[in-house]
Amino acid sequence: TSVRALDKLREDGVVRAVGLSNVTLTQLEQALELAPIAAVEIELHPWKLDGIRSGLVDACARRGIRVLAHRPLGGPPGARRALRDPVIAEIAERLGASPAEIVIAWLRSLSPAIVPIPGATRVATATSAARAARVELDDDARTALAARFLVVGDALPGVAPRLVGGE
């Protein structure tokens, strides 16, 4: 019902595009039967990768749908966790970036569809988020982060993880 109503608004020129929030792959596919979808917003960070593991991000990328990754650091607790994570810290030091910048850069590197949207509340945080857009992770960094966080599932395009075990 909501998607039909949003599509009517799009057809009437009231809105330019339709976006969805916190949907599953099945829900996205159902919505696509009713309307073109321009963006999907999901919580996505190293400790919550459901959108990747479920195939939602890949499905969006194949269809040209943007994935707006809200809470890309996992909120304040996740930001503190990133500061303490030895893999993130080593990469941050080696590349001259902050742990938060590494996390945001890694999310961006997982798919061209992913657009991290950190909720910066301070100037320093906003500046750091902008710097993260310029951080380029090397193959060693992507491999280490994939091994650390993507321990189940298939390798992602452009990522060469050393996957260990299964779920």
Side-chain angles (χ1 to χ4, degrees):
T1 301
S2 297
V3 173
R4 282 187 195 94
L6 291 169
D7 193 44
K8 175 80 170 104
L9 292 172
R10 185 190 60 79
E11 288 174 353
D12 292 346
V14 176
V15 298
R16 284 190 300 240
V18 175
L20 305 174
S21 184
N22 299 319
V23 295
T24 65
L25 177 56
T26 300
Q27 291 168 328
L28 172 64
E29 289 169 348
Q30 291 169 342
L32 285 166
E33 291 176 10
L34 303 172
I37 304 299
V40 170
E41 180 186 37
I42 58 172
E43 182 175 357
L44 188 65
H45 53 78
W47 299 278
K48 185 169 178 59
L49 296 169
D50 302 348
I52 295 203
R53 292 190 178 112
S54 71
L56 177 65
V57 169
D58 186 51
C60 288
R62 285 193 319 270
R63 292 174 171 96
I65 299 170
R66 287 275 178 229
V67 177
L68 305 176
H70 73 84
R71 291 179 49 106
L73 299 174
R80 288 189 294 275
R81 194 172 180 184
L83 287 171
R84 294 188 309 268
D85 188 278
V87 173
I88 295 171
E90 184 277 323
I91 294 167
E93 185 167 329
R94 184 168 55 80
L95 297 180
S98 73
E101 292 164 6
I102 296 301
V103 168
I104 292 170
W106 181 62
L107 288 175
R108 284 182 31 255
S109 78
L110 293 175
S111 169
I114 296 174
V115 178
I117 50 172
T121 57
R122 298 176 319 181
V123 172
T125 308
T127 302
S128 177
R131 273 195 314 268
R134 294 187 303 273
V135 171
E136 291 296 327
L137 300 177
D138 56 27
D139 289 341
D140 289 342
R142 285 191 302 276
T143 298
L145 290 164
R148 170 73 176 93
F149 297 109
L150 292 172
V151 294
V152 296
D154 297 327
L156 297 169
V159 177
R162 294 180 303 253
L163 299 175
V164 289
E167 189 170 59

